[in-house]
Amino acid sequence: MRILLSNDDGYFAPGLAALYAALAPLAEITVVAPERDKSGASNSLTLDRPLSMRKAPNGFFFLNGTPTDCVHMAVTGMLDFVPDMVVSGINHGSNMGDDTIYSGTVAAATEGFLLGVPSIAVSMVARDSKNFETAGWVAAELVKRHQQQPISVPSLLNVNVPDLPRDQLRGFEVTRLGKRHKAEPSVKALNPRGETVYWIGAAGGAADAGPGTDFYATEHKRVSVTPLQIDLTNYPQMKSLAEWMAT
């Protein structure tokens, strides 16, 4: 089995090293990750300049682009084979609910999915994550399950792992995305030159976080596994919209 690893925290991130260590015994691993932190890059592609790829002393490749660039370049140009799976992470912080829209970690896995490769995004539910080995074990368990019984169609799984020692986890749960409250207001400040600058406000707290959601599962010490899809069509609204357009 051949697995492509990427992330959005950069090729030097401890979560990526932990993911590599967990999956290397199971498959042939290639790492292509951004040269620096690209958190919040979402599914952006770099189209206004050429990209450069280099190899770090540890064998990881890094690209001066986004997480999506990394997976796209690896699958469509760099590698002479199509990987059997793309795994992105381990992200330093959760990617639940509305976070998935902005997440570079999820975006890297999404690009693999769009290219026809089963893909998994793995994130730790803590800003000051410590138990990367736990998330690495979770990723390895999912890869082994796929090796034993492959999912029949390309899949995109969003996995969030409580920041706990492995023996404190209470199992896995298949979940849906929850929803956050509106984001906090942007923060206005002055830079050293006296110019006005703005910081994006913090994400809002969980709003829809009841049983069945990713928020609920992780709060109760379970690994959240959410299947994602890319079709953004609001099918229930199509009929009413057609009627509105006809008036």
Side-chain angles (χ1 to χ4, degrees):
M1 185 179 192
R2 294 179 289 197
I3 298 177
L4 172 64
L5 301 188
S6 194
N7 72 351
D8 73 353
D9 290 329
Y11 73 96
F12 46 80
L16 183 62
L19 186 61
Y20 179 88
L23 299 185
L26 303 178
E28 176 186 331
I29 306 294
T30 303
V31 178
V32 182
E35 69 174 357
R36 61 185 180 86
D37 189 342
K38 285 295 204 176
S39 297
S42 189
N43 297 85
S44 57
L45 280 170
T46 302
L47 303 176
D48 61 346
R49 60 179 173 84
L51 299 171
S52 300
M53 189 176 294
R54 295 180 172 84
K55 191 173 185 179
N58 64 358
F60 292 3
F61 291 94
F62 60 95
L63 189 75
N64 60 340
T66 67
T68 301
D69 289 331
C70 292
V71 174
H72 188 88
M73 291 292 292
V75 176
T76 67
M78 171 196 168
L79 301 176
D80 58 4
F81 60 86
V82 176
D84 299 298
M85 179 174 282
V86 172
V87 183
S88 178
I90 301 165
N91 192 63
H92 200 121
S94 66
N95 281 303
M96 300 187 291
D98 308 342
D99 302 340
T100 56
I101 300 297
Y102 307 102
S103 167
T105 302
V106 175
T110 299
E111 188 65 14
F113 172 74
L114 291 173
L115 293 170
V117 182
S119 300
I120 302 173
V122 184
S123 303
M124 293 288 294
V125 185
R127 284 295 178 189
D128 187 23
S129 304
K130 297 180 176 65
N131 294 279
F132 285 111
E133 294 80 7
T134 299
W137 173 81
V138 166
E141 288 297 299
L142 293 172
V143 168
K144 286 189 284 188
R145 181 176 291 272
H146 178 78
Q147 288 174 325
Q148 295 164 3
Q149 186 177 351
I151 299 175
S152 58
V153 295
S155 57
L156 175 58
L157 304 181
N158 185 41
V159 180
N160 283 274
V161 184
D163 187 23
L164 297 168
R166 190 172 115 189
D167 60 4
Q168 294 183 26
L169 290 180
R170 295 178 178 172
F172 291 69
E173 182 177 342
V174 176
T175 60
R176 65 175 176 86
L177 295 180
K179 196 167 183 63
R180 290 191 182 278
H181 288 290
K182 181 180 177 181
E184 297 294 324
S186 296
V187 179
K188 184 177 179 180
L190 294 177
N191 69 13
R193 294 186 177 88
E195 300 165 331
T196 301
V197 295
Y198 297 87
W199 291 92
I200 297 294
D208 177 8
T213 66
D214 43 9
F215 291 108
Y216 188 90
T218 56
E219 180 68 21
H220 290 78
K221 301 182 180 182
R222 293 191 289 274
V223 177
S224 166
V225 182
T226 306
L228 303 182
Q229 64 180 6
I230 307 303
D231 186 351
L232 299 179
T233 307
N234 185 340
Y235 289 100
Q237 191 179 2
M238 289 179 68
K239 181 179 179 181
S240 62
L241 179 61
E243 293 170 352
W244 179 78
M245 294 288 290
T247 58

PDB file of all heavy atoms in Angstrom, residues 52-82:
ATOM      1  N   SER A  52       7.697  25.651  -6.072  1.00  0.00           N
ATOM      2  CA  SER A  52       8.968  24.946  -5.920  1.00  0.00           C
ATOM      3  C   SER A  52       8.840  23.870  -4.856  1.00  0.00           C
ATOM      4  O   SER A  52       8.274  24.116  -3.788  1.00  0.00           O
ATOM      5  CB  SER A  52      10.086  25.924  -5.520  1.00  0.00           C
ATOM      6  OG  SER A  52      10.260  26.925  -6.497  1.00  0.00           O
ATOM      7  N   MET A  53       9.382  22.697  -5.152  1.00  0.00           N
ATOM      8  CA  MET A  53       9.361  21.597  -4.203  1.00  0.00           C
ATOM      9  C   MET A  53      10.787  21.249  -3.791  1.00  0.00           C
ATOM     10  O   MET A  53      11.678  21.150  -4.635  1.00  0.00           O
ATOM     11  CB  MET A  53       8.664  20.372  -4.802  1.00  0.00           C
ATOM     12  CG  MET A  53       8.416  19.255  -3.790  1.00  0.00           C
ATOM     13  SD  MET A  53       7.485  17.884  -4.499  1.00  0.00           S
ATOM     14  CE  MET A  53       5.909  18.655  -4.834  1.00  0.00           C
ATOM     15  N   ARG A  54      10.993  21.088  -2.484  1.00  0.00           N
ATOM     16  CA  ARG A  54      12.311  20.732  -1.964  1.00  0.00           C
ATOM     17  C   ARG A  54      12.185  19.542  -1.015  1.00  0.00           C
ATOM     18  O   ARG A  54      11.079  19.210  -0.592  1.00  0.00           O
ATOM     19  CB  ARG A  54      12.949  21.930  -1.246  1.00  0.00           C
ATOM     20  CG  ARG A  54      13.251  23.101  -2.180  1.00  0.00           C
ATOM     21  CD  ARG A  54      13.884  24.258  -1.429  1.00  0.00           C
ATOM     22  NE  ARG A  54      14.338  25.311  -2.328  1.00  0.00           N
ATOM     23  CZ  ARG A  54      13.576  26.270  -2.795  1.00  0.00           C
ATOM     24  NH1 ARG A  54      12.289  26.328  -2.444  1.00  0.00           N
ATOM     25  NH2 ARG A  54      14.058  27.184  -3.611  1.00  0.00           N
ATOM     26  N   LYS A  55      13.329  18.947  -0.692  1.00  0.00           N
ATOM     27  CA  LYS A  55      13.338  17.772   0.175  1.00  0.00           C
ATOM     28  C   LYS A  55      14.101  18.087   1.446  1.00  0.00           C
ATOM     29  O   LYS A  55      15.250  18.540   1.412  1.00  0.00           O
ATOM     30  CB  LYS A  55      13.973  16.579  -0.548  1.00  0.00           C
ATOM     31  CG  LYS A  55      13.793  15.246   0.161  1.00  0.00           C
ATOM     32  CD  LYS A  55      14.312  14.111  -0.709  1.00  0.00           C
ATOM     33  CE  LYS A  55      14.037  12.753  -0.080  1.00  0.00           C
ATOM     34  NZ  LYS A  55      14.524  11.642  -0.946  1.00  0.00           N
ATOM     35  N   ALA A  56      13.450  17.855   2.586  1.00  0.00           N
ATOM     36  CA  ALA A  56      14.064  18.094   3.887  1.00  0.00           C
ATOM     37  C   ALA A  56      15.012  16.941   4.240  1.00  0.00           C
ATOM     38  O   ALA A  56      14.918  15.848   3.664  1.00  0.00           O
ATOM     39  CB  ALA A  56      12.988  18.232   4.957  1.00  0.00           C
ATOM     40  N   PRO A  57      15.906  17.153   5.195  1.00  0.00           N
ATOM     41  CA  PRO A  57      16.832  16.092   5.590  1.00  0.00           C
ATOM     42  C   PRO A  57      16.146  14.807   6.052  1.00  0.00           C
ATOM     43  O   PRO A  57      16.708  13.716   5.916  1.00  0.00           O
ATOM     44  CB  PRO A  57      17.623  16.733   6.739  1.00  0.00           C
ATOM     45  CG  PRO A  57      17.601  18.196   6.437  1.00  0.00           C
ATOM     46  CD  PRO A  57      16.255  18.443   5.846  1.00  0.00           C
ATOM     47  N   ASN A  58      14.933  14.911   6.578  1.00  0.00           N
ATOM     48  CA  ASN A  58      14.219  13.710   7.031  1.00  0.00           C
ATOM     49  C   ASN A  58      13.495  12.982   5.909  1.00  0.00           C
ATOM     50  O   ASN A  58      12.791  11.995   6.146  1.00  0.00           O
ATOM     51  CB  ASN A  58      13.231  14.062   8.151  1.00  0.00           C
ATOM     52  CG  ASN A  58      12.123  14.999   7.688  1.00  0.00           C
ATOM     53  OD1 ASN A  58      12.088  15.431   6.528  1.00  0.00           O
ATOM     54  ND2 ASN A  58      11.206  15.326   8.591  1.00  0.00           N
ATOM     55  N   GLY A  59      13.631  13.478   4.668  1.00  0.00           N
ATOM     56  CA  GLY A  59      12.996  12.812   3.540  1.00  0.00           C
ATOM     57  C   GLY A  59      11.642  13.367   3.157  1.00  0.00           C
ATOM     58  O   GLY A  59      11.080  12.980   2.129  1.00  0.00           O
ATOM     59  N   PHE A  60      11.100  14.279   3.973  1.00  0.00           N
ATOM     60  CA  PHE A  60       9.811  14.886   3.654  1.00  0.00           C
ATOM     61  C   PHE A  60      10.002  15.917   2.541  1.00  0.00           C
ATOM     62  O   PHE A  60      10.955  16.701   2.565  1.00  0.00           O
ATOM     63  CB  PHE A  60       9.215  15.594   4.869  1.00  0.00           C
ATOM     64  CG  PHE A  60       8.784  14.698   5.998  1.00  0.00           C
ATOM     65  CD1 PHE A  60       8.990  13.321   5.949  1.00  0.00           C
ATOM     66  CD2 PHE A  60       8.174  15.225   7.122  1.00  0.00           C
ATOM     67  CE1 PHE A  60       8.596  12.498   6.998  1.00  0.00           C
ATOM     68  CE2 PHE A  60       7.772  14.414   8.169  1.00  0.00           C
ATOM     69  CZ  PHE A  60       7.994  13.053   8.112  1.00  0.00           C
ATOM     70  N   PHE A  61       9.079  15.954   1.591  1.00  0.00           N
ATOM     71  CA  PHE A  61       9.079  16.995   0.575  1.00  0.00           C
ATOM     72  C   PHE A  61       8.228  18.163   1.076  1.00  0.00           C
ATOM     73  O   PHE A  61       7.199  17.955   1.729  1.00  0.00           O
ATOM     74  CB  PHE A  61       8.506  16.469  -0.740  1.00  0.00           C
ATOM     75  CG  PHE A  61       9.387  15.465  -1.422  1.00  0.00           C
ATOM     76  CD1 PHE A  61       9.203  14.108  -1.210  1.00  0.00           C
ATOM     77  CD2 PHE A  61      10.408  15.875  -2.273  1.00  0.00           C
ATOM     78  CE1 PHE A  61      10.020  13.169  -1.828  1.00  0.00           C
ATOM     79  CE2 PHE A  61      11.231  14.950  -2.897  1.00  0.00           C
ATOM     80  CZ  PHE A  61      11.037  13.594  -2.676  1.00  0.00           C
ATOM     81  N   PHE A  62       8.650  19.388   0.752  1.00  0.00           N
ATOM     82  CA  PHE A  62       7.844  20.547   1.123  1.00  0.00           C
ATOM     83  C   PHE A  62       7.738  21.500  -0.052  1.00  0.00           C
ATOM     84  O   PHE A  62       8.642  21.624  -0.878  1.00  0.00           O
ATOM     85  CB  PHE A  62       8.398  21.245   2.369  1.00  0.00           C
ATOM     86  CG  PHE A  62       9.800  21.769   2.261  1.00  0.00           C
ATOM     87  CD1 PHE A  62      10.034  23.094   1.911  1.00  0.00           C
ATOM     88  CD2 PHE A  62      10.886  20.953   2.536  1.00  0.00           C
ATOM     89  CE1 PHE A  62      11.325  23.595   1.838  1.00  0.00           C
ATOM     90  CE2 PHE A  62      12.187  21.439   2.469  1.00  0.00           C
ATOM     91  CZ  PHE A  62      12.408  22.766   2.110  1.00  0.00           C
ATOM     92  N   LEU A  63       6.580  22.153  -0.119  1.00  0.00           N
ATOM     93  CA  LEU A  63       6.190  22.977  -1.265  1.00  0.00           C
ATOM     94  C   LEU A  63       5.847  24.370  -0.785  1.00  0.00           C
ATOM     95  O   LEU A  63       5.219  24.530   0.271  1.00  0.00           O
ATOM     96  CB  LEU A  63       4.969  22.333  -1.939  1.00  0.00           C
ATOM     97  CG  LEU A  63       4.493  22.885  -3.273  1.00  0.00           C
ATOM     98  CD1 LEU A  63       5.422  22.440  -4.388  1.00  0.00           C
ATOM     99  CD2 LEU A  63       3.066  22.388  -3.566  1.00  0.00           C
ATOM    100  N   ASN A  64       6.214  25.387  -1.563  1.00  0.00           N
ATOM    101  CA  ASN A  64       5.876  26.765  -1.192  1.00  0.00           C
ATOM    102  C   ASN A  64       4.474  27.110  -1.686  1.00  0.00           C
ATOM    103  O   ASN A  64       4.262  28.052  -2.442  1.00  0.00           O
ATOM    104  CB  ASN A  64       6.910  27.750  -1.740  1.00  0.00           C
ATOM    105  CG  ASN A  64       7.021  27.724  -3.258  1.00  0.00           C
ATOM    106  OD1 ASN A  64       6.623  26.748  -3.906  1.00  0.00           O
ATOM    107  ND2 ASN A  64       7.560  28.790  -3.821  1.00  0.00           N
ATOM    108  N   GLY A  65       3.512  26.337  -1.217  1.00  0.00           N
ATOM    109  CA  GLY A  65       2.122  26.517  -1.617  1.00  0.00           C
ATOM    110  C   GLY A  65       1.181  26.088  -0.520  1.00  0.00           C
ATOM    111  O   GLY A  65       1.561  25.959   0.651  1.00  0.00           O
ATOM    112  N   THR A  66      -0.057  25.838  -0.884  1.00  0.00           N
ATOM    113  CA  THR A  66      -1.106  25.492   0.062  1.00  0.00           C
ATOM    114  C   THR A  66      -1.191  23.967   0.247  1.00  0.00           C
ATOM    115  O   THR A  66      -0.598  23.214  -0.528  1.00  0.00           O
ATOM    116  CB  THR A  66      -2.467  25.991  -0.451  1.00  0.00           C
ATOM    117  OG1 THR A  66      -2.808  25.239  -1.639  1.00  0.00           O
ATOM    118  CG2 THR A  66      -2.415  27.475  -0.784  1.00  0.00           C
ATOM    119  N   PRO A  67      -1.944  23.512   1.241  1.00  0.00           N
ATOM    120  CA  PRO A  67      -2.157  22.079   1.377  1.00  0.00           C
ATOM    121  C   PRO A  67      -2.768  21.451   0.127  1.00  0.00           C
ATOM    122  O   PRO A  67      -2.371  20.345  -0.279  1.00  0.00           O
ATOM    123  CB  PRO A  67      -3.111  21.979   2.579  1.00  0.00           C
ATOM    124  CG  PRO A  67      -2.823  23.206   3.380  1.00  0.00           C
ATOM    125  CD  PRO A  67      -2.528  24.268   2.381  1.00  0.00           C
ATOM    126  N   THR A  68      -3.715  22.134  -0.489  1.00  0.00           N
ATOM    127  CA  THR A  68      -4.316  21.622  -1.720  1.00  0.00           C
ATOM    128  C   THR A  68      -3.271  21.522  -2.825  1.00  0.00           C
ATOM    129  O   THR A  68      -3.232  20.549  -3.579  1.00  0.00           O
ATOM    130  CB  THR A  68      -5.479  22.529  -2.159  1.00  0.00           C
ATOM    131  OG1 THR A  68      -6.457  22.570  -1.118  1.00  0.00           O
ATOM    132  CG2 THR A  68      -6.134  22.014  -3.431  1.00  0.00           C
ATOM    133  N   ASP A  69      -2.408  22.539  -2.937  1.00  0.00           N
ATOM    134  CA  ASP A  69      -1.306  22.473  -3.900  1.00  0.00           C
ATOM    135  C   ASP A  69      -0.477  21.216  -3.693  1.00  0.00           C
ATOM    136  O   ASP A  69      -0.091  20.537  -4.661  1.00  0.00           O
ATOM    137  CB  ASP A  69      -0.378  23.683  -3.737  1.00  0.00           C
ATOM    138  CG  ASP A  69      -0.976  25.001  -4.200  1.00  0.00           C
ATOM    139  OD1 ASP A  69      -1.821  24.992  -5.106  1.00  0.00           O
ATOM    140  OD2 ASP A  69      -0.562  26.036  -3.657  1.00  0.00           O
ATOM    141  N   CYS A  70      -0.161  20.931  -2.442  1.00  0.00           N
ATOM    142  CA  CYS A  70       0.712  19.793  -2.128  1.00  0.00           C
ATOM    143  C   CYS A  70       0.141  18.481  -2.653  1.00  0.00           C
ATOM    144  O   CYS A  70       0.835  17.698  -3.312  1.00  0.00           O
ATOM    145  CB  CYS A  70       0.930  19.704  -0.624  1.00  0.00           C
ATOM    146  SG  CYS A  70       1.902  21.058   0.077  1.00  0.00           S
ATOM    147  N   VAL A  71      -1.118  18.230  -2.353  1.00  0.00           N
ATOM    148  CA  VAL A  71      -1.733  16.971  -2.785  1.00  0.00           C
ATOM    149  C   VAL A  71      -1.928  16.962  -4.299  1.00  0.00           C
ATOM    150  O   VAL A  71      -1.670  15.956  -4.968  1.00  0.00           O
ATOM    151  CB  VAL A  71      -3.068  16.753  -2.045  1.00  0.00           C
ATOM    152  CG1 VAL A  71      -3.788  15.519  -2.585  1.00  0.00           C
ATOM    153  CG2 VAL A  71      -2.811  16.602  -0.544  1.00  0.00           C
ATOM    154  N   HIS A  72      -2.364  18.082  -4.839  1.00  0.00           N
ATOM    155  CA  HIS A  72      -2.592  18.151  -6.283  1.00  0.00           C
ATOM    156  C   HIS A  72      -1.292  17.913  -7.051  1.00  0.00           C
ATOM    157  O   HIS A  72      -1.260  17.116  -8.007  1.00  0.00           O
ATOM    158  CB  HIS A  72      -3.174  19.518  -6.650  1.00  0.00           C
ATOM    159  CG  HIS A  72      -3.620  19.621  -8.070  1.00  0.00           C
ATOM    160  ND1 HIS A  72      -4.888  19.265  -8.480  1.00  0.00           N
ATOM    161  CD2 HIS A  72      -2.964  20.009  -9.196  1.00  0.00           C
ATOM    162  CE1 HIS A  72      -4.998  19.442  -9.790  1.00  0.00           C
ATOM    163  NE2 HIS A  72      -3.828  19.894 -10.249  1.00  0.00           N
ATOM    164  N   MET A  73      -0.224  18.585  -6.649  1.00  0.00           N
ATOM    165  CA  MET A  73       1.059  18.432  -7.333  1.00  0.00           C
ATOM    166  C   MET A  73       1.590  17.015  -7.193  1.00  0.00           C
ATOM    167  O   MET A  73       2.124  16.445  -8.148  1.00  0.00           O
ATOM    168  CB  MET A  73       2.068  19.430  -6.774  1.00  0.00           C
ATOM    169  CG  MET A  73       1.770  20.869  -7.115  1.00  0.00           C
ATOM    170  SD  MET A  73       1.973  21.227  -8.872  1.00  0.00           S
ATOM    171  CE  MET A  73       3.738  21.063  -9.041  1.00  0.00           C
ATOM    172  N   ALA A  74       1.444  16.436  -6.008  1.00  0.00           N
ATOM    173  CA  ALA A  74       1.950  15.085  -5.787  1.00  0.00           C
ATOM    174  C   ALA A  74       1.236  14.067  -6.667  1.00  0.00           C
ATOM    175  O   ALA A  74       1.869  13.230  -7.324  1.00  0.00           O
ATOM    176  CB  ALA A  74       1.802  14.707  -4.315  1.00  0.00           C
ATOM    177  N   VAL A  75      -0.083  14.157  -6.709  1.00  0.00           N
ATOM    178  CA  VAL A  75      -0.866  13.144  -7.425  1.00  0.00           C
ATOM    179  C   VAL A  75      -0.824  13.352  -8.933  1.00  0.00           C
ATOM    180  O   VAL A  75      -0.795  12.388  -9.712  1.00  0.00           O
ATOM    181  CB  VAL A  75      -2.326  13.137  -6.923  1.00  0.00           C
ATOM    182  CG1 VAL A  75      -3.178  12.155  -7.728  1.00  0.00           C
ATOM    183  CG2 VAL A  75      -2.373  12.748  -5.439  1.00  0.00           C
ATOM    184  N   THR A  76      -0.793  14.607  -9.379  1.00  0.00           N
ATOM    185  CA  THR A  76      -0.894  14.865 -10.820  1.00  0.00           C
ATOM    186  C   THR A  76       0.440  15.127 -11.511  1.00  0.00           C
ATOM    187  O   THR A  76       0.479  15.229 -12.737  1.00  0.00           O
ATOM    188  CB  THR A  76      -1.805  16.081 -11.094  1.00  0.00           C
ATOM    189  OG1 THR A  76      -1.175  17.271 -10.585  1.00  0.00           O
ATOM    190  CG2 THR A  76      -3.163  15.901 -10.442  1.00  0.00           C
ATOM    191  N   GLY A  77       1.539  15.244 -10.757  1.00  0.00           N
ATOM    192  CA  GLY A  77       2.785  15.566 -11.429  1.00  0.00           C
ATOM    193  C   GLY A  77       4.035  14.979 -10.831  1.00  0.00           C
ATOM    194  O   GLY A  77       4.914  14.497 -11.531  1.00  0.00           O
ATOM    195  N   MET A  78       4.129  14.996  -9.505  1.00  0.00           N
ATOM    196  CA  MET A  78       5.365  14.576  -8.852  1.00  0.00           C
ATOM    197  C   MET A  78       5.542  13.069  -8.823  1.00  0.00           C
ATOM    198  O   MET A  78       6.592  12.538  -9.172  1.00  0.00           O
ATOM    199  CB  MET A  78       5.397  15.130  -7.432  1.00  0.00           C
ATOM    200  CG  MET A  78       6.522  14.582  -6.572  1.00  0.00           C
ATOM    201  SD  MET A  78       6.215  14.923  -4.825  1.00  0.00           S
ATOM    202  CE  MET A  78       7.459  13.869  -4.081  1.00  0.00           C
ATOM    203  N   LEU A  79       4.520  12.364  -8.392  1.00  0.00           N
ATOM    204  CA  LEU A  79       4.611  10.915  -8.218  1.00  0.00           C
ATOM    205  C   LEU A  79       4.373  10.200  -9.543  1.00  0.00           C
ATOM    206  O   LEU A  79       3.594  10.657 -10.377  1.00  0.00           O
ATOM    207  CB  LEU A  79       3.583  10.444  -7.183  1.00  0.00           C
ATOM    208  CG  LEU A  79       3.697  11.067  -5.783  1.00  0.00           C
ATOM    209  CD1 LEU A  79       2.554  10.573  -4.894  1.00  0.00           C
ATOM    210  CD2 LEU A  79       5.042  10.724  -5.155  1.00  0.00           C
ATOM    211  N   ASP A  80       5.027   9.076  -9.713  1.00  0.00           N
ATOM    212  CA  ASP A  80       4.798   8.273 -10.918  1.00  0.00           C
ATOM    213  C   ASP A  80       3.782   7.165 -10.658  1.00  0.00           C
ATOM    214  O   ASP A  80       3.708   6.186 -11.390  1.00  0.00           O
ATOM    215  CB  ASP A  80       6.109   7.682 -11.445  1.00  0.00           C
ATOM    216  CG  ASP A  80       6.822   6.818 -10.408  1.00  0.00           C
ATOM    217  OD1 ASP A  80       6.261   6.627  -9.307  1.00  0.00           O
ATOM    218  OD2 ASP A  80       7.946   6.353 -10.708  1.00  0.00           O
ATOM    219  N   PHE A  81       3.001   7.346  -9.602  1.00  0.00           N
ATOM    220  CA  PHE A  81       1.930   6.409  -9.273  1.00  0.00           C
ATOM    221  C   PHE A  81       0.821   7.182  -8.589  1.00  0.00           C
ATOM    222  O   PHE A  81       1.025   8.300  -8.095  1.00  0.00           O
ATOM    223  CB  PHE A  81       2.430   5.289  -8.351  1.00  0.00           C
ATOM    224  CG  PHE A  81       2.985   5.790  -7.035  1.00  0.00           C
ATOM    225  CD1 PHE A  81       2.153   6.021  -5.938  1.00  0.00           C
ATOM    226  CD2 PHE A  81       4.353   6.056  -6.898  1.00  0.00           C
ATOM    227  CE1 PHE A  81       2.669   6.495  -4.742  1.00  0.00           C
ATOM    228  CE2 PHE A  81       4.871   6.530  -5.697  1.00  0.00           C
ATOM    229  CZ  PHE A  81       4.027   6.749  -4.619  1.00  0.00           C
ATOM    230  N   VAL A  82      -0.370   6.613  -8.556  1.00  0.00           N
ATOM    231  CA  VAL A  82      -1.488   7.188  -7.809  1.00  0.00           C
ATOM    232  C   VAL A  82      -1.516   6.525  -6.438  1.00  0.00           C
ATOM    233  O   VAL A  82      -1.580   5.298  -6.343  1.00  0.00           O
ATOM    234  CB  VAL A  82      -2.830   6.962  -8.532  1.00  0.00           C
ATOM    235  CG1 VAL A  82      -3.983   7.498  -7.674  1.00  0.00           C
ATOM    236  CG2 VAL A  82      -2.829   7.638  -9.887  1.00  0.00           C
TER     237      VAL A  82
END
